[in-house]
Amino acid sequence: MPVEFAEKTVPPGRGIFKRFKGNIEAIAIGVKYFFDPKRSTLIYPKEYIKLRENYRGFIVLNAKKCINCGSCARICPAAAMKLIRRPYTDPKTGKTRMKLWPVINYNRCIFCGYCVDVCPTEALHHVNYHDVVFDNMEEMDQTLESFQQAPEHPTAKEGIPVRYIIDEEKGLVKVRVEGGEQ
Amino acid sequence: MSGIVRGNVGFNDLKIPGMWSRKIGKDLYEVFIGPQHPGSGHMRIIIRIDGDIIVEAEPDMGYVHRTMEKLSEGRAWIKAIPLFERMAIHDACNVTLPYVRAVEKLLGIEAPLRAKYLRVLLCEINRIAAFLYGFGIFGVFLGHSTMYMWPFGDREVWVELAEWLTGARLTHTYPVFGGVRRDVPEGFTDSLRKAIRYMRRRLEDYRKIFVDNPVIRARLEDVGVIPRNLAIELGITGPNLRASGVRYDVRKNHPYEVYDELDFEIPVFQEGDAYARVHQRVQEILQSLRILEQVADWLDKHPREPVMHERFWKTAPPLYKKIFQETGRVKLGAVMAIMKIPQGKAYERGETARGEISYYVESDGGNKPYRIRIHSASARNALVYKYIVPGHRVMDLPAIYGSIDYFPPEADR
Amino acid sequence: MSPIISDIIKIIIWPPLWQLIVLGLLLPLGVVVFIIWFERKTAARVQRRIGPYHVSPRIAGGLQLVADLMRYMFQEIIIPKTVDVAPFIMAPLIALILSILPVVAMPFTSNASYFPIGMRYSLIVALALITLSPIFVIVAGWASNNKFSLIGGMREAYLITAYELIVMVSFLSASAATGSFDLVKIVEAQAGGKWLGLLNPLALLAALIGVLLSTSGFPFEIPESEHEVVAGAYTEYSGLVYGINMGAAYLKRMVYSILIALVFLGGWRPYTPGPGFVSGYLIPSIVVFIKATILMMIFSFLRAVYGRYRLDQALDIAWKYIFPLAVAGFGLSLALAYLGIY
Ligand code: SF4
Ligand code: SF4
């Protein structure tokens, strides 16, 4: 197959006229954006991005679905997911025995989402936010109980949820969406 | 250090590391630029100057060396993907794809066609984002703050698209052995087309304020010329190589995925100076946009079908298939974590935004790599400083540094 | 009114004192604070950002500068062991004083009772005073005893050789046109819309570029170029002393702008100063300041559009293009004088 390359040369730009034109164009575009900045800054704590449902945010365990297979801990590339031994009472037979449950350590997690994707029963899922506050490092090491609850999302309490949509003219356009907790 | 005297110490008596300029000959001083210097990034360039002219330059790399190759030997095959992403997080798909392909080669499988298109889609999105990132850094090196903010703002468009596709802004971990992890979501291609049209419009603005700006032209023209033979000799890659007139692009010379089915042409410039490298990157963004348009058309025409290789998808339970049909999310088989790769050696290459990256992967038949050797683009480009910086003025150093689009974490691995 | 109070008021509005403290320091400082805010806001708008905001969202971050000022005031002033302390501290202070000193030579009114120092050579004196302050930037760089400061100071020295002549020649073209070194006469000659800047745009352009060169505005922001020399001569400074350094640079630009407003943009014209403090002094000086502020805004806007030239290119441009331009402006002024326009 012939390999296509396009020979190009840099457009000429020397000469007083070209330079003059270049200066005028540069200033003109600056003035244009000065009067019509088309900005899309997120004013963060007042507004926050409501991320899409498929966002790989913090991870929550649904212990009812978990079959204690340990796949999530095995595939975790950062060794963030580990298994702990906890007694478990079977509701049908009433017998209690020790089982391995996954817990996550957010000190280590890189949010690759492998664990969620590998879980055979969909016992793990992502929440669609990532701005969570921990007071100290111990808190980031989740317990089996805290791992089963979605972490608190402080910005949703006071902020206005927005989402960016892509626009031909302006690039990103901020639109308000439903769903704030305020 | 023999005690610092208060008062006016002679300039050559200063013994604070990094703050001294040592006299090493008649009218010859040594100045350390970096690694904490605002104009250098995670690397140091030791320059020897005679007045304002640089006589010698030595790139001193390795400040962000993280032993990627060795680390990968201690963990399962699939766990190396998120690791290698950290070489160039804004170019994650391009950087990890050759590794995934090399392992696929050892497994003797190939991703389904749709997965290949999806890989190309994310690769090109990443490539544009990485070019824009490079432009931003370049702009601020030349004191052009608008060219710093604009590309970073427009990069957000592509990051947003990548996030929509993969669920993560930067470290997508998108290609995995046998396919990809997500199918395109509803309405994605429409937004992609809008982003393409927007980017074309913005490149015109960039031309006016930066590329054709006489100040920028004056700074870049005939600065940091890499002659064609030097570029070949040193093994420069990527846009820097093509701006010196060498016709080499992995996507063209060794097509992978579906690059041979797509219609695009790679620009080549003859000048080899910093200004040609700027034009080279602008043209490559245009070509990437062209590729993306074709990928969007292809994806629109073809309905959702499995994006994982049969070998992993055939045995998938019904729940997996249901989730894939509903949300486009590909569940991974439990085998992924403990998979053994057949014994053998594989070599794969790919074109990242900064040039060619190549992986040599060796397996001893176990569930961990035996040896992985990475040759990244920036590591090859970094050498060039030693040869092209001497003879320039001190103020040219940021211009040359920025025009090479050198990315230390990728070079140091 | 008791005699003491009226005496105090008389002292305060005694022209030389009023000129130096109010018109030379306080008002320009206010303008500079506005200009720094404006510069950040302009750059932000062109770059599609918001700029200063959170300090006072209602007035578009207007108090950000006050906050910054507070920070500079309370920051520790670090004096490194290796610097030469006396010049290190003195240089910015002297530079600050010298950059506002030219104001005492600039009359803001044609009412002779409000001249700061009445003299026939005020343009020459103002220009001479303006050119003193760069020396102390070099002193600051030298005293810092740091490679970046030294290089920054040397760059300043290089640039002086380039812009000094340009600035002189282009401003003196006003004298060539009007046949006087007296700023009052120069301004009065421009009455009736005969602004020198309109009739002699070459000299105005040369003066503007000269000012950009001398106050390291974009695209000639070379002595403080962050990516080579950190902050140039000011690298070792911190806290209030650094703030004074930066303020002095802006004040210098402000003083230049006032001079341009007087020489090229008709000074207090179209207003005709009358008798009394308000109509004879206050209003004319406000007119001059408005013109100067607009000039400052134009200078600030360029930051968003340009990168910076290389040192040798800046010198090249200055000597090869701008200096001939200034000379041409001087020639044009002679022609204007010959034609009897002034
Ligand atoms: S998201 Fe990735 S790093 Fe985090 S626990 Fe899951 S597998 Fe481990
Ligand atoms: S992979 Fe799913 S089912 Fe298995 S242990 Fe982890 S959470 Fe439980």
Side-chain angles (χ1 to χ4, degrees), chain B residues 140 144 146 150 198 218 396, chain C residues 46 48 227 304-305 308 310 313:
Chain B
V140 79
H144 200 301
T146 301
W150 277 7
Y198 169 71
D396 280 331
Chain C
V46 175
R48 311 173 67 191
H227 297 94
V305 177
R308 63 174 80 83
R310 211 164 62 206
Q313 285 166 346

Side-chain angles (χ1 to χ4, degrees), chain A residues 61 65-73 83 100 102 115 118-124:
Chain A
L61 170 74
K65 280 192 189 169
C66 181
I67 55 169
N68 315 79
C69 67
S71 288
C72 50
L83 297 174
L100 289 172
C115 50
V118 85
C119 176
T121 57
E122 282 285 272
L124 297 170

